């Protein structure tokens, strides 16, 4: 286990099993509904979408969006900005928005509003983690990997100040890690 991690809350094996289940579920639901587009919200959903895409037994396309919000390293400010938009139109496509974690719900709420105006054939959300908390915005993902308590988590794509994305499990950082600035890291904004 990484030295900065206090506790592993979702193991690598649990992640693999859940992704396989989600892939089967999605393959079943989207059978005959082409074209399917996996829309990944970078950077946090990168690992998840890479594994999920390989667990879906259907032809599909992938595209990527980058969003950013201003705020502290662990709190969302609520102001969402699209830093990189999609490369292709989504009109007529079955869009599955893949995200790492729903926290305040502000990012997804905003993205869903924007995407709806572009007339996809359907639009659903698949999130790896759903934080159980009172949300600023109500967002109801169709597919949820895990529900976790309202704690800040890292690993499997999720970062703290751009670090820990490469951990193969999901864990909680030791409290002292938040106090000590990481060398050369920008802790002014929550990494997506
Ligand atoms: P929201 O807009 O507050 O729902 O969250 C937006 C984004 O913030 C998520 O998609 C994540 O990329 C990031 N985020 C929220 N909570 C966490 C966390 O516990 N760890 C790491 N990143 C998080
Ligand atoms: Mg994200």
């Amino acid at each position: 286990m990484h030295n900065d991690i206090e506790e592993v809350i979702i193991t690598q094996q649990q992640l693999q099993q859940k992704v396989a289940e989600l892939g089967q579920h999605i393959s079943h639901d989207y059978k005959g509904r082409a074209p399917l587009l996996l829309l990944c919200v970078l950077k946090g959903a990168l690992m998840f979408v890479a594994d999920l895409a390989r667990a879906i037994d259907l032809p599909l396309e992938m595209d990527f969006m980058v969003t950013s919000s201003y705020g502290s390293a662990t709190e969302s400010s609520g102001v969402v900005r699209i830093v990189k938009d999609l490369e292709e139109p989504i009109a007529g496509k079955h869009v599955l928005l893949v995200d790492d974690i729903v926290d305040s719900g502000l990012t997804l709420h905003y993205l869903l509003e924007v995407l709806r105006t572009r007339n996809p054939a359907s639009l659903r959300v698949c999130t790896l983690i759903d934080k159980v908390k009172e949300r600023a915005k109500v967002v109801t993902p169709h597919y949820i990997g895990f529900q976790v308590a309202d704690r800040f988590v890292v690993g499997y794509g999720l970062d703290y100040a751009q670090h820990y994305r490469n951990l193969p499990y999901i864990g909680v950082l030791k409290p002292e890690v938040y106090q000590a600035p990481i060398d050369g890291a920008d802790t002014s904004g929550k990494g997506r």
Side-chain angles (χ1 to χ4, degrees):
M1 189 164 82
H2 192 290
N3 213 19
D4 293 350
I5 297 293
E6 180 169 79
E7 185 192 343
V8 174
I9 59 168
I10 306 170
T11 66
Q12 189 169 4
Q13 202 193 352
Q14 287 173 318
L15 286 167
Q16 278 169 3
Q17 197 187 325
K18 187 61 75 177
V19 169
E21 276 170 27
L22 287 170
Q24 280 176 13
H25 199 162
I26 290 164
S27 304
H28 173 266
D29 291 357
Y30 284 85
K31 198 167 183 189
R33 298 168 88 195
L36 169 60
L37 174 70
L38 291 190
L39 198 172
C40 169
V41 187
L42 292 174
K43 304 172 194 170
L46 175 66
M47 310 293 179
F48 180 42
V49 81
D51 287 340
L52 184 66
R54 285 175 286 186
I56 298 174
D57 187 21
L58 292 174
L60 57 80
E61 296 170 26
M62 295 170 84
D63 207 343
F64 302 89
M65 268 179 129
V66 180
T67 61
S68 108
S69 82
Y70 301 96
S72 70
T74 59
E75 292 285 333
S76 190
S77 68
V79 182
V80 183
R81 195 163 57 97
I82 295 177
V83 177
K84 184 211 166 284
D85 206 338
L86 298 173
E87 285 173 6
E88 305 275 342
I90 59 167
K93 293 183 181 172
H94 292 281
V95 176
L96 184 58
L97 188 55
V98 180
D99 207 353
D100 51 358
I101 189 163
V102 186
D103 183 21
S104 68
L106 288 162
T107 309
L108 277 182
H109 182 86
Y110 175 78
L111 282 183
L112 287 170
E113 266 186 2
V114 170
L115 293 171
R116 251 181 229 119
T117 66
R118 300 182 187 178
N119 302 316
S122 68
L123 180 59
R124 285 183 176 181
V125 173
C126 175
T127 186
L128 178 67
I129 298 174
D130 178 31
K131 263 196 209 178
V132 181
K133 65 189 283 187
E134 216 165 290
R135 297 239 158 87
K137 293 284 183 190
V138 178
V139 175
T140 319
H142 269 87
Y143 306 96
I144 295 172
F146 301 90
Q147 289 195 307
V148 305
D150 187 12
R151 300 164 84 181
F152 196 79
V153 294
V154 297
Y156 196 62
L158 290 148
D159 74 305
Y160 169 62
Q162 302 302 333
H163 286 249
Y164 311 107
R165 293 194 198 273
N166 58 328
L167 298 180
Y169 47 80
I170 305 257
V172 176
L173 289 170
K174 292 177 181 165
E176 60 264 31
V177 178
Y178 297 110
Q179 277 117 49
I182 298 165
D183 279 350
D186 171 17
T187 54
S188 64
K190 179 162 70 174
R192 296 283 104 182

